[in-house]
């Protein structure tokens, strides 16, 4: 009877609660999709653009994602300088940090030998008066952390 209760209790946890901590050697490719943004138009109302981050691992584990920017606030460079933020999808919670450790991350659960993903949004504050055209930020770096705060990438 006790063994059956213990076995049942083990199944009561979700799979994401049982995932291990990844090591640097277990993390594979980190890829992005949706990174092409339309040319900036100052006369169009800003809407967040979605970006999917995919992280591969050889084991089932959970990681945390944050983005480091060398400028504060983060700026895309083009015909001018366009301020922006990388946020948790559907909220205004920023995933950007300048130096040290990030204060906010978003979790990615990775099944064994597969790829986990998270969707974040790139948002720009309204009322920026800069020239229209293509903008980008080559200094933005995505970092993956384990649950203890160790940098994996």
């Amino acid at each position: 009877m006790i063994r059956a209760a213990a076995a049942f209790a083990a199944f009561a946890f979700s799979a994401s609660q049982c995932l291990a901590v990844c090591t640097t050697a277990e993390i594979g490719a980190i890829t992005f999709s949706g990174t092409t943004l339309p040319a900036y138009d100052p006369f169009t109302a800003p809407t967040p653009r979605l970006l999917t981050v995919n992280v591969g691992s050889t084991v089932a584990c959970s990681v945390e994602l944050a983005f480091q920017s060398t400028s504060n606030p983060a700026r895309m460079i083009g015909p001018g300088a366009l301020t922006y933020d990388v946020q948790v999808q559907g909220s205004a919670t920023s995933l950007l940090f300048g130096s040290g450790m990030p204060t906010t991350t978003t979790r990615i659960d990775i099944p064994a030998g597969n790829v986990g993903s998270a969707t974040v949004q790139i948002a720009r504050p309204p009322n920026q008066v800069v020239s229209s055209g293509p903008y980008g930020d080559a200094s933005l770096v995505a970092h993956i952390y384990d649950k203890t705060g160790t940098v994996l990438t």
Side-chain angles (χ1 to χ4, degrees), residues 40 71 73-84 124-125 127-132 134-136:
Y40 173 72
S71 61
R75 289 181 193 85
M76 290 185 207
I77 303 303
L82 184 62
T83 302
Y84 74 100
R124 65 178 210 274
N127 303 321
Q128 295 187 66
V129 181
V130 296
S131 299
S132 58
Y135 283 79

Side-chain angles (χ1 to χ4, degrees), residues 27-64:
I27 295 294
I30 299 170
T31 60
F32 302 89
S33 59
T35 56
T36 302
L37 300 176
Y40 173 72
D41 179 355
F43 302 106
T44 302
T47 58
R49 302 294 295 192
L50 299 182
L51 168 69
T52 302
V53 181
N54 302 300
V55 180
S57 176
T58 58
V59 299
C61 60
S62 291
V63 295
E64 301 293 323

Side-chain angles (χ1 to χ4, degrees), residues 13-137:
F13 292 102
S14 72
S16 64
Q17 291 172 314
C18 299
L19 294 178
V21 173
C22 287
T23 65
T24 303
E26 295 163 341
I27 295 294
I30 299 170
T31 60
F32 302 89
S33 59
T35 56
T36 302
L37 300 176
Y40 173 72
D41 179 355
F43 302 106
T44 302
T47 58
R49 302 294 295 192
L50 299 182
L51 168 69
T52 302
V53 181
N54 302 300
V55 180
S57 176
T58 58
V59 299
C61 60
S62 291
V63 295
E64 301 293 323
L65 169 68
F67 294 84
Q68 186 173 20
S69 176
T70 57
S71 61
N72 183 13
R75 289 181 193 85
M76 290 185 207
I77 303 303
L82 184 62
T83 302
Y84 74 100
D85 192 10
V86 180
Q87 303 170 340
V88 173
Q89 182 182 8
S91 79
T93 304
S94 180
L95 294 170
L96 286 175
F97 70 102
S99 61
M101 295 297 293
T103 56
T104 306
T105 61
T106 191
R107 181 178 171 150
I108 300 176
D109 291 327
I110 306 170
N114 209 333
V115 175
S117 64
T119 302
V120 297
Q121 64 189 25
I122 299 173
R124 65 178 210 274
N127 303 321
Q128 295 187 66
V129 181
V130 296
S131 299
S132 58
Y135 283 79
D137 185 354

Side-chain angles (χ1 to χ4, degrees), residues 139-151:
S139 71
L140 186 69
V141 178
H143 285 290
I144 302 295
Y145 299 87
D146 69 13
K147 294 177 190 177
T148 65
T150 300
V151 179

